Amino acid sequence: MTSFLHHALAVMLTAALTTGTAHAGRLGVFTSDSNGFDTHTFYYDDGQEVTLIDTQFVPALTQAMVEQVRRETQSPITRVIVTHPNPDKFNGLAYLHSLGVASISSRAAAAAMPDVHAYKKYYFVNIAKMFTEENYPKFENVKATFSGQTKIHLKSGETLSLFELKNPGVTSTQVVVRIDKTGDLIVGDLVHHKAHVWLEGAIVNGKPHADLAQWAAAVAELPALAKGKPNAKVYGGRGEFVPVAQAVQAQRAYLLRVNAIVDDYLAQLGARRSELDDPATAQPHYQALEKRLVRAFPDYALPYMIKYSIYGLVGTKLQSGELADLPEGLIPARLPTGELVGYRLSVDAHVAGLEHLGLQPGDIIIAVHGLPLVRLENRSFALERLRQDEFASVTYVRHHDTLVNVTRMPEGTLNGME
């Protein structure tokens, strides 16, 4: 009997050693206060070592996070993974490196970090005046990089998979960390469930560039990463933690609605869009947009995220040319993916002369004289043709039907379209 028990225990021990740990480790979270922008830092303890996912905005908060980890486990912190190049994700690297912690992110994220650091340091030191040159967090980049995807083998035998998404997400590039045992996804600020997001966008050549359509496309990549793990959750940089499908649906809906609300507001401004060129006259518009977004999402936390970041999304839209010379009352119309398909006639606005074309509020004009309006070089030419030609041919969508209307235009009908 004793021999049988010894044999059985030996078999069980061998199985444990060859198949790895029988249970997943523990995922913990440290959340800063508003001084650190209410940022979640995650840490995964496999029982033998701790892996951090992202740092905090300042070294003091990164130190507080480390102290929390040490109170909860005796496992040493061995590495930190940075999910994207924003300062609340990498500003704590210098402190962690001083503790001997290794660091890794994508090659693209590492390449972007120096310019992001310079842009943010200038803002916080010279404009916001929240720091001085001397006390702004010292910059250090990650020590190791990867491209595409890589796998980290933990001491317990568990693995973490790192994926560089095809679409850029909240900044210029995005890394997702998967706990392979559970399928849980740690995604940084790609997802803020039930919390407003940072709308500044990536810092490209020293300027913010926000593309919510590409961000939504990046979010849509998440379900494939958790395939076969029905209980997997998304852990975002702020907000709540929910199952993957729920997180993806809510975040994509949020981004696309924000895009539409901002499009509508800018289109209705008409000639007053020039006020957005001056920070002093732009501020009331940013406040008005914040109020609209808060009304649209009354149960979402952290509205201050909009206040300090909406300038990036607005500036990107103005620079894109989609709104340049657009008559008041025409609003960019987009597919659920965020792709521009034409221009919608506002319910609230009157565009001089368009009633002669048989158009109604809500109609989406997709072409004039056969010229697709999604090509910006066509748009000005097409609108000028409408003003000058005797006959007008307009292709539009109404209630999912595509219609073409060819109309003889009374002289001067569209001269008021400015």
Side-chain angles (χ1 to χ4, degrees), residues 346-357:
S346 170
V347 173
D348 302 322
H350 169 73
V351 181
L354 289 186
E355 66 273 11
H356 290 278
L357 298 172

Side-chain angles (χ1 to χ4, degrees), residues 199 262 286 289 293 305-315:
L199 295 167
V262 175
Y286 298 153
L289 279 167
L293 293 174
M305 299 289 288
I306 303 168
K307 178 186 301 183
Y308 297 115
S309 67
I310 190 69
Y311 83 98
L313 178 59
V314 169

Side-chain angles (χ1 to χ4, degrees), residues 12-320:
M12 292 170 63
L13 178 61
T14 302
L17 291 173
T18 56
T19 61
T21 182
H23 302 285
R26 175 182 176 272
L27 182 65
V29 60
F30 170 89
T31 305
S32 73
D33 59 15
S34 59
N35 291 319
F37 303 100
D38 298 281
T39 298
H40 298 320
T41 291
F42 297 97
Y43 46 95
Y44 190 69
D45 179 11
D46 74 338
Q48 298 187 44
E49 61 179 325
V50 173
T51 298
L52 307 176
I53 298 99
D54 291 322
T55 76
Q56 284 281 326
F57 181 61
V58 292
L61 287 170
T62 304
Q63 181 178 353
M65 175 268 296
V66 168
E67 290 170 354
Q68 176 175 308
V69 173
R70 287 174 171 169
R71 287 194 300 270
E72 294 181 3
T73 179
Q74 294 183 352
S75 302
I77 299 171
T78 57
R79 70 179 61 80
V80 58
I81 303 164
V82 175
T83 58
H84 59 270
N86 265 352
D88 56 334
K89 309 307 176 203
F90 65 72
N91 268 4
L93 283 175
Y95 172 74
L96 293 172
H97 289 161
S98 73
L99 302 180
V101 176
S103 57
I104 185 170
S105 190
S106 70
R107 190 167 298 142
M113 283 183 206
D115 287 345
V116 173
H117 171 76
Y119 181 91
K120 296 293 188 176
K121 180 179 180 180
Y122 181 85
Y123 171 79
F124 283 111
V125 171
N126 297 290
I127 298 176
K129 300 189 182 302
M130 294 171 60
F131 294 86
T132 66
E133 285 282 343
E134 292 72 27
N135 65 17
Y136 188 78
K138 175 187 174 184
F139 175 71
E140 286 190 14
N141 214 324
V142 292
K143 302 295 188 182
T145 61
F146 73 97
S147 293
Q149 68 180 80
T150 191
K151 194 178 292 288
I152 295 175
H153 295 267
L154 304 180
K155 292 179 180 178
S156 65
E158 283 194 70
T159 57
L160 303 176
S161 290
L162 278 56
F163 301 92
E164 184 178 20
L165 297 186
K166 296 176 183 178
N167 295 283
V170 60
T171 58
S172 57
T173 186
Q174 177 71 46
V175 172
V176 169
V177 181
R178 183 179 69 199
I179 301 173
D180 291 333
K181 199 78 174 177
T182 62
D184 290 332
L185 304 176
I186 299 96
V187 302
D189 296 337
L190 182 69
V191 172
H192 286 180
H193 190 73
K194 290 297 185 74
H196 289 287
V197 303
W198 191 255
L199 295 167
E200 180 183 57
I203 303 303
V204 180
N205 298 321
K207 294 181 179 180
H209 178 81
D211 189 328
L212 300 196
Q214 286 192 319
W215 187 342
V219 174
E221 296 181 51
L222 297 181
L225 302 184
K227 188 176 181 180
K229 300 289 186 177
N231 296 321
K233 291 185 176 182
V234 168
Y235 293 84
R238 294 172 183 86
E240 302 171 6
F241 317 136
V242 296
V244 174
Q246 182 182 353
V248 169
Q249 188 278 328
Q251 190 68 28
R252 284 174 54 80
Y254 174 91
L255 292 170
L256 296 175
R257 190 171 181 193
V258 168
N259 225 10
I261 289 171
V262 175
D263 279 344
D264 282 7
Y265 183 85
L266 295 179
Q268 290 165 10
L269 276 183
R272 293 184 62 201
R273 285 194 291 270
S274 61
E275 296 173 11
L276 293 163
D277 296 333
D278 183 342
T281 53
Q283 199 59 40
H285 295 298
Y286 298 153
Q287 292 170 353
L289 279 167
E290 180 186 357
K291 289 179 180 178
R292 289 193 182 197
L293 293 174
V294 169
R295 284 198 303 268
F297 301 94
D299 58 341
Y300 273 51
L302 310 181
Y304 74 83
M305 299 289 288
I306 303 168
K307 178 186 301 183
Y308 297 115
S309 67
I310 190 69
Y311 83 98
L313 178 59
V314 169
T316 301
K317 288 182 177 294
L318 295 177
Q319 293 166 16
S320 73

Side-chain angles (χ1 to χ4, degrees), residues 362-403:
D363 288 348
I364 299 173
I365 305 172
I366 58 177
V368 173
H369 291 303
L371 299 172
L373 297 189
V374 292
R375 297 183 62 180
L376 300 183
E377 64 271 23
N378 287 345
R379 195 185 67 201
S380 296
F381 178 68
L383 293 176
E384 187 61 29
R385 289 276 303 273
L386 281 179
R387 295 185 182 96
Q388 296 179 0
D389 290 1
E390 181 179 0
F391 288 90
S393 171
V394 176
T395 305
Y396 60 98
V397 176
R398 178 183 295 166
H399 305 310
H400 304 292
D401 294 325
T402 301
L403 307 170

